[in-house]
């Protein structure tokens, strides 16, 4: 039987929403207080869902020690207690660190190393979900 | 990349579960204490999920200021601090304000105005989710 | 050693905030949307704290089966799935069912039966806490 | 309109993760502290989602009194305040009580009685979701 | 009867923990990742508790419209979506924006205006509680 | 200004409530399903509150790195993923691992090492709070 396992992790980070391709007025209209030049921050939650058949010996679809390690290396270490605009590679340029772009980037990073780590073809990265707050949440899947 | 963004909102309302097409005894058997003639109430949560490609300039699939305004006008203003049976149009007649019917009605109302507000064909209302309590939840999608 | 044990219970109820001793305008100014004539409702939480020395045989300051029964009889049965203004005795008259008055009334009711149920002088009703929502909370103690 | 209704239930249980088909060292590497020989436990949450069209008379896809009874008989009574390895049938043998296997077993048990209880062909058991903690969650569907 | 009413509010802000009176090494040892030069952020919760006798006409110890306005002006407007080190007056100098200092400052600010707003001597600011995360919480009272 | 800082930690453990000084019938009457011979378990939360004046240089009443280490050594390591009756010293004998006794024991253990770790006389262990579930909570203080 196929299962869908979700692991959830928290990290605290700061960001500022500001698009260099828009005027100051457009930025304020679009992002409101999130456009504040000095930035602000959140206790983010990131949830990663993997899918696959259960191994009858281990009762697992994927080794959780390995999954935790990959997420720690690829996602938590570069984001935990960081300024996303200045320290997380994908957002140093013009890409705005909205929850939408952050979820997409987390999905992309994990996809990039997935096949190297989990060789078994049936084990898939199914979904990434980011909660900026409990009231603003973004999911990405393929 | 396509993203699925969820916004969550709270409102407090009262209701009574009673079907005029059933006998008093059938109502009590079906709805239990929720059939109490004087009504009761809940701190509801409503979650609205929209899906679409991320705009590379704004980092958003949809303008959240607009989304919040539509949900405020169509859903929260008519429901917040209201008696659903007496004040929310769809439930003034024989339709019973179960979480199921409430979720369906919220989905229907948002669908009705969606195309007027979000002209871009790729931006879709994907799902409505209502939590009556943390233990009774209903989702509707197409 | 003295311990302070808290039991938490949920109930859903409706109410309306309206003081007969104030004008309609004053009521609206004071209570805002909570003054809506048709009422609204909440998923309330009530927390009851008892204090006392731990019995070395049972590891308890008070028999929780008895505590749960008293709270069920005195508080939950009269409030669960009820309209507080119409069905909970203390609020049928001019007393307004604010969280403040509700917490005071719950404390008063439990105090009234306490000595009959828990004869041991060291076992005390210490505190009642009511959460109308997670953002509006009232505590009463002696 | 089709709705997807989720009911959530809690139960406290203990378990130990240990596969008799692996060496002690492999067990420790795979399960970490969860392999502790004396076991440990959790406040589990189980969420059951049913899908179906809304009955226009009752406002329900399924009778919730019946659903609650079935889940109580099939899932909560055998699991509540139990040692899963020793008392829950499916895990007395070599099957390891991971969240993955537990979710699969709960789904299987409910599927086994579903057709007997809910004769209407449109009413389906859609999903089972188990939260071992808020950070380790498994879903099973068909 | 005296009641203790708590109102809870959320705000998102960024900060950096760094004491100019300590060496870089001491700062890193004391604050760990919170000393990261680019800062990080949190979804803070601030809870304000007021105590006083219940007014028999209104059922309130204090006018909540007034309380909310004061907290909005004094606390939320200067903190919401802000960088605490650069934008919140008390932390522009050498004072480190720990949860401890933030709670003390919020208490001090509210105390400073309290008597001007709530003339009735029995109505007291009782406690301020700040949650930086659900696992790091600071309370201040007199 | 004096502050009251609370740190919160989670651990999963199993236990059984059974007093050797009571008959089997008395045990079942008193503890209900918690008396199940095979045991069950919980995701416990333990909250430790310390009080003291804020150090003007560090913005802290106590070094949190040290506090976390002491709690890890004294409380979390002996309890995490353990069977409390068999593995936590104080409960190997006739003492019943109720939340009351567990909170008292955690308080006692921390008190025992407090003066060795925090020499400053103004820094006090103020309170220990244990949540067995969100609905059964015990606090101990002096």
């Amino acid at each position: 039987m196929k299962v869908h396992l979700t692991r959830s992790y928290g990290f605290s980070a700061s960001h500022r929403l500001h698009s260099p391709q828009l005027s100051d007025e457009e930025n304020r209209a679009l992002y409101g207080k999130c456009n504040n030049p000095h930035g602000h921050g959140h206790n983010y939650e990131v949830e990663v869902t993997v899918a696959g058949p259960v191994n009858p010996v281990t009762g697992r679809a994927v080794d959780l020690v390995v999954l935790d390690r990959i997420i720690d290396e690829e996602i938590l270490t570069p984001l935990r207690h960081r300024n996303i605009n200045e320290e997380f590679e994908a957002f140093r340029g013009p890409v705005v660190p909205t929850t939408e772009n952050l979820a997409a980037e987390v999905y992309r990073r994990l996809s990039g190393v997935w096949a190297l780590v989990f060789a078994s073809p049936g084990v898939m990265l199914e979904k990434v979900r980011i909660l900026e707050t409990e009231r603003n949440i973004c999911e990405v899947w393929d």
Side-chain angles (χ1 to χ4, degrees), chain A:
Chain A
M1 189 171 251
K2 197 180 175 186
V3 295
H4 309 261
L5 189 96
T6 298
R7 299 283 275 184
S8 166
Y9 313 82
F11 65 91
S12 295
S14 60
H15 72 162
R16 184 205 178 189
L17 302 188
H18 181 86
S19 173
Q21 296 164 270
L22 299 174
S23 72
D24 282 3
E25 205 177 329
E26 286 169 322
N27 269 293
R28 275 193 300 271
L30 189 63
Y31 301 120
K33 289 182 174 174
C34 301
N35 183 239
N36 171 27
H38 300 273
H40 63 283
H42 298 286
N43 300 326
Y44 287 91
E45 293 283 324
V46 53
E47 298 177 6
V48 176
T49 302
V50 301
V54 180
N55 178 318
V57 172
T58 66
R60 294 250 152 98
V62 61
D63 186 328
L64 297 183
V65 176
V66 175
L67 180 63
D68 284 356
R69 180 167 50 76
I70 292 305
I71 290 169
D72 194 66
E73 286 171 15
E74 295 295 322
I75 309 302
L76 300 177
T77 296
L79 280 170
R80 208 163 244 170
H81 286 85
R82 300 288 183 181
N83 179 316
I84 299 175
N85 303 61
E86 297 177 30
E87 298 181 90
F88 195 53
E89 205 177 2
F91 299 103
R92 280 194 182 120
V95 182
V96 186
T98 56
T99 317
E100 292 87 331
N101 275 335
L102 190 57
E105 174 62 16
V106 166
Y107 187 86
R108 215 175 282 124
R109 279 177 86 105
L110 288 177
S111 295
V113 299
W114 199 257
L116 303 171
V117 182
F118 299 108
S120 162
V123 175
M124 288 173 359
L125 171 64
E126 189 169 79
K127 193 166 65 175
V128 165
R129 187 172 180 244
I130 301 231
L131 297 89
E132 190 184 82
T133 69
E134 292 198 346
R135 301 210 173 277
N136 196 68
I137 301 162
C138 192
E139 291 177 308
V140 171
W141 64 78
D142 233 356

